[in-house]
């Protein structure tokens, strides 16, 4: 076996508690896994809705090499002009042509190159973006020919079936397809037959004594009264969810993967 690449992906960062979790766990994850790259989904970083330039840099200072987004990309208006300043923040690639930002990036470190692609699903999601099943294969072919065989796809999507279909669709052409958005880590991590690591959802970083990161009582009130109310971010039960992947640098094939569930002390 030749050289390998080690990657850690952390699931959706939810509010200030999620940011605290990222800062707390990255040093220990570095010590345990010695990763070459950290990729973090930051689309719920700003109080659960989108991200700001300041908070993006906060996650990057903590150790993220790339920050991905999702359906809350545009919730914070100040992010619109920030994409031209910070290419390591990427948004789903299947927004219309001319939309600010880019949907993929190649980052370098430790003499290695990793491509990270962000895409948005369409089932039960809004807005109706372009079809990622058609957009991704030609882009991946281009990246493999011109840049690197090590490619991570963050597929931000509601439907488990759509995520699984994308994993099968891209099997053998990328190193990993990691699902995000639903905030509930799934136990279906696997290396698919042609060498792509896959998980339906990576989970989230933040308060897990909650309803997907939101205060339990505020969510139950919504369900029991049907009246509008604000979902407060939970800071209880802090935990980081994610995925560790090791792949062959030459071929991009996944060799090893491991789910991450790391609790953070609140003493």
């Amino acid at each position: 076996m030749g050289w390998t690449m080690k990657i850690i992906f952390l699931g959706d960062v939810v509010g200030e508690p999620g940011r605290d979790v990222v800062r707390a766990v990255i040093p220990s994850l570095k010590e345990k896994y010695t990763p070459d790259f950290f990729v973090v989904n930051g689309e719920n970083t700003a109080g659960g809705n989108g991200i700001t330039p300041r908070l993006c840099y906060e996650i990057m200072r903590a150790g993220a090499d790339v920050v991905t987004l999702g359906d809350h990309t545009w919730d914070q208006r100040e992010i619109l002009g920030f994409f031209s300043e910070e290419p390591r923040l990427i948004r789903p690639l299947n927004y219309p042509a001319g939309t600010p930002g880019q949907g993929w990036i190649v980052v370098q470190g430790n003499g290695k190159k990793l491509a990270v692609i962000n895409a948005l699903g369409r089932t039960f999601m809004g807005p109706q973006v372009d079809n990622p099943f058609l957009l991704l294969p030609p882009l991946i072919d281009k990246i493999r020919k011109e840049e690197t065989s090590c490619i991570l796809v963050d597929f931000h999507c509601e439907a488990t079936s759509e995520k699984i279909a994308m994993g099968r669709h891209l099997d053998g052409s990328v190193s990993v397809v990691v699902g995000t958005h639903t905030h509930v880590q799934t136990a279906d991590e696997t290396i698919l037959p042609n060498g792509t690591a896959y998980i339906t959802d990576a989970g989230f970083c933040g308060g897990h004594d909650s309803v997907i990161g939101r205060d339990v009582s505020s969510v139950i009130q919504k369900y029991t009264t049907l009246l509008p109310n604000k979902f407060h971010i939970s800071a209880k039960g802090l935990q980081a969810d994610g995925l560790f992947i090791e792949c062959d640098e030459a071929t991009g094939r996944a060799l090893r993967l491991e789910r991450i569930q790391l609790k953070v002390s609140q003493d």
Side-chain angles (χ1 to χ4, degrees):
M1 183 176 69
W3 296 101
T4 67
M5 179 183 294
K6 298 178 181 179
I7 309 159
I8 286 179
F9 182 91
L10 293 178
D12 309 39
V13 176
V14 180
E16 183 177 2
R19 304 194 305 270
D20 292 342
V21 165
V22 170
R23 286 194 300 270
V25 302
I26 281 184
S28 59
L29 291 173
K30 282 183 177 179
E31 182 176 356
K32 180 176 181 179
Y33 294 102
T34 62
D36 298 293
F37 300 100
F38 275 93
V39 181
V40 179
N41 184 290
E43 78 123 18
N44 297 129
T45 301
N49 299 291
I51 195 168
T52 67
R54 178 179 66 84
L55 298 181
C56 179
Y57 280 134
E58 184 177 323
I59 294 174
M60 289 177 175
R61 284 195 298 271
D65 297 288
V66 180
V67 176
T68 58
L69 295 172
D71 60 309
H72 288 290
T73 293
W74 314 112
D75 285 7
Q76 305 296 324
R77 291 185 61 83
E78 59 263 49
I79 207 66
L80 286 171
F82 183 63
F83 285 106
S84 60
E85 302 176 21
E86 183 46 77
R88 294 174 296 170
L89 175 69
I90 61 174
R91 48 82 174 160
L93 65 86
N94 44 335
Y95 282 109
T99 302
Q102 299 296 322
W104 65 283
I105 188 174
V106 176
V107 288
Q108 300 187 50
N110 299 324
K112 303 174 183 181
K113 296 170 72 174
L114 171 68
V116 181
I117 304 173
N118 195 188
L120 194 63
R122 302 202 300 176
T123 305
F124 310 129
M125 300 282 284
Q128 286 301 304
V129 292
D130 294 337
N131 190 336
F133 286 84
L134 300 180
L135 292 177
L136 281 166
L139 172 61
I140 290 165
D141 287 345
K142 174 182 171 66
I143 292 172
R144 289 182 65 91
K145 289 175 183 177
E146 300 179 2
E147 297 283 358
T148 179
S149 296
C150 295
I151 303 170
L152 180 148
V153 176
D154 174 354
F155 192 37
H156 198 79
C157 184
E158 181 76 26
T160 55
S161 57
E162 190 175 6
K163 295 180 189 181
I164 294 168
M166 182 62 79
R168 295 289 180 168
H169 186 52
L170 300 182
D171 183 22
S173 65
V174 300
S175 303
V176 55
V177 175
V178 54
T180 56
H181 178 65
T182 55
H183 292 197
V184 179
Q185 188 182 77
T186 54
D188 62 341
E189 75 280 9
T190 188
I191 297 177
L192 296 171
N194 295 317
T196 292
Y198 173 82
I199 190 169
T200 296
D201 202 278
F204 79 96
C205 296
H208 280 247
D209 185 359
S210 69
V211 178
I212 61 171
R214 272 66 174 181
D215 175 70
V216 173
S217 61
S218 63
V219 177
I220 291 177
Q221 182 185 14
K222 173 70 172 181
Y223 279 116
T224 55
T225 68
L226 302 183
L227 297 174
N229 68 328
K230 182 177 181 179
F231 293 163
H232 301 286
I233 300 298
S234 173
K236 300 177 182 178
L238 297 183
Q239 178 175 303
D241 290 346
L243 194 67
F244 166 76
I245 312 101
E246 185 172 10
C247 60
D248 182 271
E249 190 181 0
T251 65
R253 291 178 65 92
L255 305 171
R256 183 163 64 107
L257 77 160
E258 179 182 331
R259 273 188 296 130
I260 294 169
Q261 286 188 343
L262 184 57
K263 295 187 182 300
V264 175
S265 174
Q266 294 181 270
D267 296 338

